Amino acid sequence: MKNLVDVCVGTLCWWAVGWTLAYGIADGENHAFANSNQAFGTGFTEADRDGNFTTSTAMLNWFFQWAFCSAAATIVSGGVAERVQFPGYLCFTIVMTSWIYPVVVH
C-alpha cells in the first residue's frame, strides 16, 4: 500500500513542484533556485505557428528523474515498515517528493 502511495502521490508532487524546484529553468538574469518555469509540466511541449505540437527533451528528463524520486521515497517505506501510521507516512511522501529530493538533486 505504501509503495503505491509513493508512486501515485509522489508523481503528482514531483510533477507539480518537485521538478521545477530541482530543474526549473531560470529566466534571464534570474538564477533563482526555484521559479515557476516548468511547474505543472509547463514547457514540456511547444507549438509552432501551424498549431503542431512538438515534444522537448524535458518530458524525457522528467520521467527519468521521476523514477529516482519515486524510488527514493519507496526505500524509506521499507525502512519504516510497520513503525509509522499511514497518515504520517503520506505526509512524509509529500515532503520527500516535493521538497527533500528536489533540493538534494538540484
Side-chain angles (χ1 to χ4, degrees):
M1 181 70 172
K2 289 180 182 176
N3 290 339
L4 182 63
V5 167
D6 285 334
V7 173
C8 294
V9 173
T11 299
L12 292 174
C13 293
W14 179 246
W15 171 73
V17 294
W19 170 261
T20 194
L21 288 178
Y23 299 104
I25 301 170
D27 49 351
E29 296 296 318
N30 182 10
H31 298 290
F33 164 67
N35 54 32
S36 62
N37 290 338
Q38 295 187 351
F40 296 96
T42 305
F44 281 7
T45 58
E46 298 170 356
D48 60 9
R49 297 177 118 198
D50 298 330
N52 298 324
F53 285 96
T54 57
T55 59
S56 66
T57 59
M59 198 178 295
L60 176 65
N61 293 332
W62 179 91
F63 185 77
F64 181 75
Q65 291 298 327
W66 163 80
F68 289 107
C69 179
S70 175
T74 303
I75 289 169
V76 174
S77 172
V80 298
E82 298 188 23
R83 293 182 183 96
V84 177
Q85 292 182 352
F86 187 74
Y89 186 76
L90 180 65
C91 292
F92 166 77
T93 299
I94 292 169
V95 172
M96 176 70 171
T97 56
S98 299
W99 180 252
I100 297 171
Y101 184 80
V103 169
V104 170
V105 300
H106 178 72

